[in-house]
Amino acid sequence: MEKKLERKAAWELLTEYTKTPALLSHAQAVEAIMRHFARLNGEDEEVWGVAGLLHDLDYEKYPQEHCKKAEEIMRERGIDEVYIRAMSCHGYGLCTDVKPESPMEKTLYTVDELAGLINAACLVRPSRSVLDLEVKSLKKKFTDKAFAAGVNREVIKKGCEMLGMDMDDVMREAIEGMKERADEIGLRGTL
């Protein structure tokens, strides 16, 4: 990696293009999960976290050009290719043909949709919290296609296969990552 991007600079870039609180919370949730998985894999937590934070950089302003516009913005700013590839890979098969190859890319591809499902599952819990969410409950929501219908479950399944991990394990670790940032992402609930 030639040019590591500091989290503060990444947040400033994200908030330049994203104003919606729900989208900012989603970016932070994905960042939290990515940081957690980086630790599990002995990787650079800052790099993985920033990749997660910036994955939907262009989504609010340019939904029809999602990933393509972000690539353009990031290149104009001289952002390292590692971040650009990761951002592009998260849209693999949906809005890009950039296949995830590195562990970071595969993780981001997998956990983006999963973070949305976890968030939705938390919001219908009596506690409205990620702190008491269990894998068993999340799996029930995963199999209910009417619940959080916008979450692409096939991406989650494919991502788990790419990672070579059981879906229960991916779900458990994603929940753990979000627990670490429960306050920031608004999922402490009543606990």
Side-chain angles (χ1 to χ4, degrees):
M1 165 173 270
E2 290 178 28
K3 191 174 170 191
K4 189 170 172 179
L5 187 60
E6 297 298 321
R7 200 248 183 221
K8 184 178 185 289
W11 179 253
E12 288 170 2
L13 177 59
L14 177 65
T15 55
E16 182 180 330
Y17 288 90
T18 306
K19 306 296 182 197
T20 305
L23 292 175
L24 292 171
S25 288
H26 172 70
Q28 290 176 297
V30 174
E31 174 193 17
I33 296 169
M34 290 296 290
R35 285 178 176 276
H36 181 77
F37 272 87
R39 280 193 304 279
L40 292 176
N41 288 286
E43 297 287 347
D44 189 321
E45 200 178 317
E46 187 79 7
V47 172
W48 283 44
V50 164
L53 191 63
L54 290 178
H55 80 282
D56 278 344
L57 172 65
D58 60 2
Y59 188 75
E60 183 175 317
K61 282 193 174 186
Y62 307 100
Q64 302 306 316
E65 299 174 77
H66 184 39
C67 293
K68 292 164 184 60
K69 193 67 176 176
E71 181 178 348
E72 182 183 307
I73 292 164
M74 292 167 92
R75 285 197 194 290
E76 284 172 0
R77 309 260 176 138
I79 293 175
D80 195 282
E81 189 66 29
V82 167
Y83 300 107
I84 296 171
R85 261 201 62 84
M87 177 280 307
S88 294
C89 287
H90 99 275
Y92 177 64
L94 304 170
C95 56
T96 77
D97 58 359
V98 183
K99 186 175 182 180
E101 293 173 2
S102 74
M104 180 174 76
E105 293 166 357
K106 291 174 183 177
T107 302
L108 182 55
Y109 173 78
T110 307
V111 304
D112 175 32
E113 293 291 322
L114 186 53
L117 183 68
I118 293 169
N119 186 72
C122 291
L123 296 178
V124 298
R125 297 180 61 69
S127 67
R128 296 182 62 81
S129 178
V130 70
L131 299 176
D132 63 352
L133 179 64
E134 295 179 6
V135 172
K136 182 179 170 185
S137 298
L138 186 60
K139 281 189 80 172
K140 268 186 171 175
K141 298 298 185 192
F142 182 87
T143 56
D144 178 358
K145 301 232 188 297
F147 180 80
V151 171
N152 189 324
R153 285 142 169 89
E154 286 306 308
V155 166
I156 297 170
K157 287 179 191 174
K158 283 183 203 168
C160 290
E161 289 170 16
M162 283 182 192
L163 290 171
M165 290 178 71
D166 183 75
M167 190 183 315
D168 284 18
D169 294 333
V170 174
M171 286 180 168
R172 182 176 304 102
E173 297 304 339
I175 291 168
E176 288 303 314
M178 287 175 69
K179 282 180 181 180
E180 294 168 15
R181 298 281 180 89
D183 289 320
E184 283 178 40
I185 60 178
L187 291 178
R188 174 161 296 279
T190 58
L191 301 180

XYZ file of all heavy atoms in Angstrom, residues 120-163:
337
model
N -31.489 -3.941 10.909
C -32.943 -4.118 10.859
C -33.418 -5.061 11.963
O -34.442 -4.805 12.607
C -33.358 -4.649 9.492
N -32.679 -6.133 12.202
C -33.050 -7.092 13.246
C -33.027 -6.431 14.621
O -33.902 -6.704 15.458
C -32.114 -8.299 13.210
N -32.064 -5.569 14.847
C -31.972 -4.879 16.136
C -33.162 -3.951 16.359
O -33.684 -3.856 17.471
C -30.679 -4.076 16.220
S -29.198 -5.103 16.326
N -33.573 -3.278 15.306
C -34.637 -2.284 15.443
C -36.004 -2.879 15.761
O -36.883 -2.159 16.232
C -34.701 -1.407 14.186
C -33.456 -0.552 13.944
C -33.599 0.241 12.659
C -33.165 0.376 15.129
N -36.196 -4.177 15.516
C -37.480 -4.803 15.849
C -37.413 -5.578 17.172
O -38.397 -6.163 17.598
C -37.998 -5.724 14.714
C -38.234 -4.915 13.446
C -37.058 -6.891 14.452
N -36.262 -5.574 17.817
C -36.117 -6.248 19.118
C -36.703 -5.363 20.221
O -36.647 -4.133 20.109
C -34.631 -6.509 19.415
C -33.979 -7.443 18.415
C -32.535 -7.687 18.733
N -32.343 -8.320 20.031
C -32.690 -9.575 20.310
N -33.244 -10.324 19.392
N -32.464 -10.073 21.515
N -37.220 -5.950 21.284
C -37.727 -5.134 22.399
C -36.663 -4.169 22.938
O -36.972 -3.032 23.274
C -38.115 -6.177 23.457
C -38.413 -7.416 22.668
C -37.462 -7.379 21.493
N -35.413 -4.595 22.963
C -34.317 -3.757 23.475
C -33.824 -2.738 22.453
O -33.129 -1.791 22.815
C -33.140 -4.631 23.895
O -32.570 -5.242 22.746
N -34.133 -2.973 21.177
C -33.615 -2.156 20.067
C -32.087 -2.063 20.113
O -31.497 -1.036 19.796
C -34.249 -0.765 20.047
C -35.750 -0.814 19.792
C -36.397 0.543 19.723
N -35.940 1.396 18.662
C -36.341 1.355 17.384
N -37.206 0.468 17.001
N -35.869 2.205 16.507
N -31.467 -3.168 20.508
C -30.018 -3.174 20.734
C -29.326 -4.336 20.033
O -29.888 -5.423 19.903
C -29.750 -3.279 22.236
O -28.364 -3.334 22.486
N -28.084 -4.089 19.646
C -27.230 -5.142 19.107
C -26.583 -5.934 20.251
O -26.114 -7.052 20.045
C -26.149 -4.556 18.159
C -25.095 -3.761 18.934
C -25.499 -5.639 17.314
N -26.586 -5.374 21.437
C -25.866 -5.975 22.554
C -26.444 -7.313 23.004
O -25.727 -8.132 23.570
C -25.801 -4.999 23.738
C -25.071 -3.682 23.453
C -25.149 -2.748 24.639
C -23.625 -3.934 23.046
N -27.731 -7.534 22.758
C -28.336 -8.812 23.148
C -28.814 -9.628 21.936
O -29.556 -10.593 22.082
C -29.478 -8.606 24.143
C -30.643 -7.795 23.586
O -30.527 -7.245 22.461
O -31.678 -7.698 24.275
N -28.363 -9.252 20.745
C -28.738 -9.986 19.536
C -27.928 -11.278 19.448
O -26.708 -11.264 19.607
C -28.486 -9.134 18.286
C -28.816 -9.796 16.945
C -30.310 -10.093 16.822
C -28.354 -8.899 15.790
N -28.614 -12.370 19.211
C -27.955 -13.667 19.070
C -28.040 -14.144 17.625
O -28.965 -13.775 16.894
C -28.603 -14.686 20.004
C -28.414 -14.342 21.470
C -29.087 -15.337 22.399
O -29.606 -16.366 21.924
O -29.085 -15.073 23.609
N -27.108 -14.994 17.245
C -27.064 -15.541 15.887
C -28.376 -16.238 15.546
O -28.898 -16.076 14.440
C -25.860 -16.496 15.706
C -25.929 -17.215 14.364
C -24.552 -15.731 15.834
N -28.920 -16.990 16.469
C -30.169 -17.720 16.249
C -31.297 -16.766 15.796
O -32.027 -17.061 14.851
C -30.572 -18.439 17.543
C -31.817 -19.273 17.448
C -32.088 -19.950 18.790
C -33.464 -20.581 18.789
N -33.805 -21.131 20.095
N -31.413 -15.635 16.457
C -32.429 -14.640 16.098
C -32.151 -14.049 14.717
O -33.069 -13.845 13.918
C -32.463 -13.509 17.125
O -32.803 -13.995 18.382
N -30.886 -13.765 14.457
C -30.511 -13.183 13.169
C -30.780 -14.163 12.031
O -31.264 -13.777 10.969
C -29.039 -12.755 13.178
C -28.562 -12.013 11.935
C -29.363 -10.726 11.713
C -27.072 -11.692 12.054
N -30.500 -15.446 12.261
C -30.753 -16.454 11.224
C -32.238 -16.564 10.900
O -32.611 -16.762 9.739
C -30.196 -17.811 11.657
C -28.692 -17.897 11.459
C -28.176 -19.269 11.666
C -28.421 -20.078 10.409
N -27.780 -21.387 10.451
N -33.081 -16.405 11.905
C -34.532 -16.415 11.668
C -34.915 -15.274 10.727
O -35.700 -15.452 9.808
C -35.297 -16.247 12.985
C -35.674 -17.519 13.656
C -36.551 -17.184 14.848
C -37.144 -18.426 15.436
N -37.895 -18.127 16.664
N -34.344 -14.110 10.981
C -34.622 -12.941 10.133
C -34.045 -13.155 8.729
O -34.630 -12.728 7.744
C -34.041 -11.660 10.758
C -34.631 -11.314 12.102
C -36.108 -11.054 12.027
C -36.662 -10.583 13.346
N -38.120 -10.596 13.368
N -32.906 -13.821 8.657
C -32.270 -14.103 7.364
C -33.181 -14.970 6.499
O -33.307 -14.744 5.297
C -30.924 -14.804 7.591
C -30.176 -15.097 6.317
C -29.329 -14.155 5.765
C -30.316 -16.317 5.674
C -28.631 -14.408 4.589
C -29.626 -16.588 4.498
C -28.782 -15.625 3.958
N -33.827 -15.964 7.095
C -34.669 -16.885 6.317
C -36.038 -16.298 5.996
O -36.719 -16.787 5.095
C -34.855 -18.236 7.054
O -35.400 -17.991 8.343
C -33.528 -18.958 7.180
N -36.434 -15.232 6.695
C -37.714 -14.564 6.420
C -37.492 -13.538 5.312
O -37.060 -12.418 5.561
C -38.220 -13.897 7.701
C -39.519 -13.137 7.508
O -40.047 -13.084 6.367
O -40.019 -12.584 8.505
N -37.792 -13.942 4.085
C -37.492 -13.088 2.918
C -38.272 -11.771 2.925
O -37.867 -10.803 2.299
C -37.769 -13.858 1.630
C -36.936 -15.136 1.549
C -36.197 -15.239 0.275
C -35.515 -16.552 0.063
N -34.499 -16.913 0.977
N -39.394 -11.728 3.649
C -40.181 -10.495 3.731
C -39.533 -9.488 4.678
O -39.753 -8.285 4.561
C -41.604 -10.807 4.192
N -38.718 -9.990 5.609
C -38.055 -9.105 6.556
C -36.839 -8.470 5.896
O -36.012 -9.161 5.308
C -37.613 -9.879 7.810
C -36.917 -9.006 8.806
C -37.634 -8.186 9.652
C -35.537 -8.971 8.868
C -37.004 -7.360 10.552
C -34.884 -8.143 9.763
C -35.620 -7.334 10.607
N -36.720 -7.149 5.994
C -35.593 -6.424 5.381
C -35.384 -6.929 3.956
O -34.303 -7.383 3.585
C -34.329 -6.571 6.225
N -36.458 -6.844 3.186
C -36.476 -7.415 1.832
C -35.385 -6.849 0.923
O -34.981 -7.497 -0.031
C -37.853 -7.211 1.203
N -34.887 -5.660 1.224
C -33.845 -5.051 0.401
C -32.465 -5.653 0.609
O -31.548 -5.387 -0.167
N -32.310 -6.462 1.641
C -31.015 -7.096 1.919
C -30.827 -8.273 0.970
O -31.661 -9.175 0.905
C -30.932 -7.574 3.389
C -29.681 -8.410 3.607
C -30.955 -6.386 4.336
N -29.741 -8.248 0.237
C -29.452 -9.314 -0.722
C -28.799 -10.492 -0.007
O -27.604 -10.498 0.282
C -28.540 -8.780 -1.835
C -28.383 -9.749 -2.972
O -28.333 -10.960 -2.775
N -28.301 -9.211 -4.179
N -29.619 -11.485 0.284
C -29.150 -12.645 1.022
C -28.183 -13.509 0.215
O -27.305 -14.155 0.779
C -30.339 -13.468 1.505
C -31.036 -12.796 2.709
C -32.546 -12.963 2.637
N -33.206 -12.565 3.873
C -33.629 -11.332 4.130
N -33.418 -10.351 3.263
N -34.251 -11.061 5.262
N -28.320 -13.498 -1.103
C -27.403 -14.260 -1.952
C -25.978 -13.726 -1.851
O -25.021 -14.490 -1.889
C -27.874 -14.264 -3.418
C -29.068 -15.164 -3.675
C -28.842 -16.599 -3.190
O -27.812 -17.211 -3.562
O -29.681 -17.105 -2.424
N -25.849 -12.413 -1.734
C -24.519 -11.814 -1.575
C -23.900 -12.307 -0.265
O -22.721 -12.669 -0.226
C -24.595 -10.267 -1.609
C -23.306 -9.628 -1.107
C -24.907 -9.781 -3.018
N -24.687 -12.341 0.793
C -24.177 -12.813 2.088
C -23.718 -14.268 1.972
O -22.625 -14.625 2.419
C -25.232 -12.643 3.199
C -25.561 -11.159 3.405
C -24.751 -13.284 4.502
C -26.761 -10.886 4.305
N -24.549 -15.101 1.333
C -24.192 -16.519 1.159
C -22.912 -16.668 0.340
O -21.998 -17.404 0.720
C -25.323 -17.275 0.464
C -26.523 -17.532 1.320
C -27.577 -18.273 0.490
C -28.905 -18.344 1.189
N -29.956 -18.927 0.330
N -22.857 -15.968 -0.806
C -21.665 -16.044 -1.661
C -20.431 -15.543 -0.931
O -19.342 -16.094 -1.068
C -21.864 -15.207 -2.932
C -22.736 -15.839 -3.982
C -22.779 -14.920 -5.200
C -24.012 -15.161 -6.025
N -24.231 -14.124 -7.031
N -20.617 -14.474 -0.170
C -19.499 -13.911 0.579
C -18.948 -14.882 1.611
O -17.732 -15.027 1.744
N -19.847 -15.561 2.313
C -19.398 -16.560 3.298
C -18.608 -17.665 2.606
O -17.577 -18.118 3.120
C -20.596 -17.151 4.049
S -21.383 -15.978 5.177
N -19.073 -18.070 1.421
C -18.344 -19.082 0.644
C -16.967 -18.565 0.248
O -15.970 -19.283 0.355
C -19.140 -19.472 -0.603
C -20.378 -20.294 -0.300
C -21.288 -20.482 -1.513
O -20.834 -20.244 -2.664
O -22.456 -20.848 -1.305
N -16.905 -17.309 -0.224
C -15.619 -16.716 -0.599
C -14.654 -16.694 0.574
O -13.460 -16.922 0.408
C -15.811 -15.272 -1.089
C -16.337 -15.122 -2.467
S -16.416 -13.335 -2.817
C -17.379 -13.362 -4.316
N -15.192 -16.398 1.753
C -14.363 -16.325 2.953
C -13.998 -17.708 3.485
O -13.122 -17.824 4.347
C -15.087 -15.540 4.058
C -15.237 -14.041 3.839
C -16.162 -13.446 4.892
C -13.879 -13.353 3.862
